[in-house]
Amino acid sequence: MAVAFIILLALVLFLGAPIFAVMLGFTVLGDAQLERGFAEQFGGNLVKMLGDATGEKASVLSTVPLFIFMGYIMAESRTADRVVRAAQAGLGWQPGGLAIVTIFACALFTTFTGASGVTIVALGSLVMPSLLKEKYSERFSLGLVAGTGSVGLLFPPAVPLFVFGTVYGAAETLTKASRGGELISSGGFSTEKFLFAGIVPGLVLLGVLSVFAMVIAIRQGVPRQPFDAKALVAKTWHALPEILIPFFIIYGLASGMQIPEVASLAVVYVLFVEMVLYRDITPRDLWKITVESMALIGAIFIIILCASALTDYFVNADIPHQLVAWMKTQ
């Protein structure tokens, strides 16, 4: 019966069922197989899920909707157009300038939205025609727009890394290892460390992708535009309030401000910039943006809660140790 249920769950996942539903199904199946009663065992999972939504983690998780909401506001405004134009003025003179601009612009947008799909919608129609016009191949241009946005997930606020740390209970835990009969504490590990953990890997990826774009541009004979200092200053000044956003966030986190405080201030700043300074967003647009962003946020939170319950089952059933023992026998 259990094998049939596992096959059914794998089948519905392959057919496109929501990942949180499959996680919850495996949790229910696993809890039913344990020695303790189903109500007692699964009740513990429900308590853990409720604790994630109402306990200490709730204040940390509150930053996720704030950053995603901010990213949606930037995507609906003309932020992409201003940032890309400023970057093109600064990098258009070198081989692969527009491709490098696309890489960094996509990474920047995904950093705040937490979803590369939003980046593709916001930037695709803007940079794709320009890439094709500058004689980049269609295959390379599509891959560049569709794939480079995911690099932004590694930079603060690093929503996926942040969710990973929250789900697996990394906040304020102590890990102990036995060595020579003596227990050694590895020290506390804070979820906030996930915010900065991806900066170095992200910069390395951006560097590698930029070099690759330069090589492709040289091989395909992509023309370069002459450097114009006046255009660079003018376009950078016009986009400066939006270019400074990631630096403000990193500075706030590095100066000791709490993550919810930084996220709240960032949202207020972006609202001021887009609704008052540039006037790209109207109150009617803001309502539509709120509805769309909250739909994505709801899906993320459901996944977090179901993944938390599934992780709790894995720990109680001692599955990691069983997997290691099985691999050693193979």
Side-chain angles (χ1 to χ4, degrees):
M1 183 64 181
V3 175
F5 193 66
I6 292 175
I7 295 175
L8 177 62
L9 288 174
L11 179 63
V12 296
L13 177 63
F14 178 77
L15 294 176
I19 184 66
F20 69 85
V22 177
M23 288 179 176
L24 199 59
F26 274 112
T27 304
V28 173
L29 174 64
D31 287 339
Q33 305 298 316
L34 295 178
E35 296 180 358
R36 288 187 293 178
F38 175 81
E40 180 184 357
Q41 177 61 41
F42 195 68
N45 295 139
L46 294 177
V47 171
K48 183 174 179 60
M49 293 169 65
L50 182 63
D52 289 341
T54 60
E56 295 181 358
K57 292 182 180 179
S59 62
V60 179
L61 288 174
S62 65
T63 62
V64 176
L66 289 171
F67 280 123
I68 291 179
F69 178 55
M70 181 182 67
Y72 266 76
I73 294 174
M74 296 173 64
E76 289 294 327
S77 64
R78 297 183 60 190
T79 300
D81 182 55
R82 288 185 287 268
V83 172
V84 169
R85 290 182 185 277
Q88 177 68 356
L91 298 174
W93 57 271
Q94 70 176 36
L98 181 59
I100 296 174
V101 169
T102 302
I103 292 170
F104 280 86
C106 290
L108 175 64
F109 260 76
T110 309
T111 294
F112 298 110
T113 61
S116 56
V118 178
T119 300
I120 295 172
V121 173
L123 292 176
S125 60
L126 176 64
V127 298
M128 270 296 296
S130 299
L131 289 169
L132 296 176
K133 185 178 179 180
E134 292 201 4
K135 298 182 181 181
Y136 288 98
S137 66
E138 182 178 2
R139 182 177 180 181
F140 172 78
S141 302
L142 286 172
L144 197 67
V145 175
T148 55
S150 58
V151 180
L153 300 175
L154 297 173
F155 297 107
V159 173
L161 296 180
F162 194 75
V163 170
F164 176 86
T166 303
V167 168
Y168 285 91
E172 299 178 358
T173 59
L174 291 176
T175 303
K176 294 184 178 180
S178 178
R179 182 178 300 173
E182 179 183 359
L183 289 178
I184 303 174
S185 176
S186 64
F189 192 81
S190 173
T191 305
E192 283 78 0
K193 292 183 179 179
F194 280 89
L195 290 172
F196 302 99
I199 292 180
V200 174
L203 291 175
V204 171
L205 281 174
L206 290 178
V208 172
L209 289 170
S210 298
V211 172
F212 176 72
M214 293 174 64
V215 173
I216 293 296
I218 295 174
R219 290 178 57 184
Q220 297 183 359
V222 177
R224 290 180 282 175
Q225 66 181 34
F227 178 74
D228 188 344
K230 292 184 178 180
L232 174 60
V233 173
K235 292 179 180 179
T236 302
W237 178 259
H238 186 54
L240 188 61
E242 294 160 320
I243 294 175
L244 292 177
I245 292 174
F247 298 100
F248 287 152
I249 293 176
I250 294 175
Y251 174 77
L253 294 173
S255 63
M257 294 179 63
Q258 298 297 316
I259 303 176
E261 296 173 349
V262 174
S264 301
L265 290 175
V267 171
V268 173
Y269 175 78
V270 170
L271 283 173
F272 173 79
V273 169
E274 305 301 345
M275 298 187 69
V276 178
L277 190 60
Y278 292 116
R279 299 184 180 180
D280 290 340
I281 303 295
T282 65
R284 179 177 297 181
D285 296 331
L286 186 61
W287 174 255
K288 176 184 175 182
I289 293 170
T290 303
V291 173
E292 292 178 353
S293 62
M294 292 305 114
L296 175 62
I297 293 164
I300 291 175
F301 279 156
I302 292 175
I303 293 174
I304 290 175
L305 295 179
C306 292
S308 179
L310 183 59
T311 302
D312 189 53
Y313 158 68
F314 285 159
V315 173
N316 290 332
D318 202 26
I319 289 180
H321 291 125
Q322 294 183 31
L323 287 174
V324 171
W326 176 79
M327 293 175 65
K328 288 181 177 180
T329 60
Q330 300 304 310

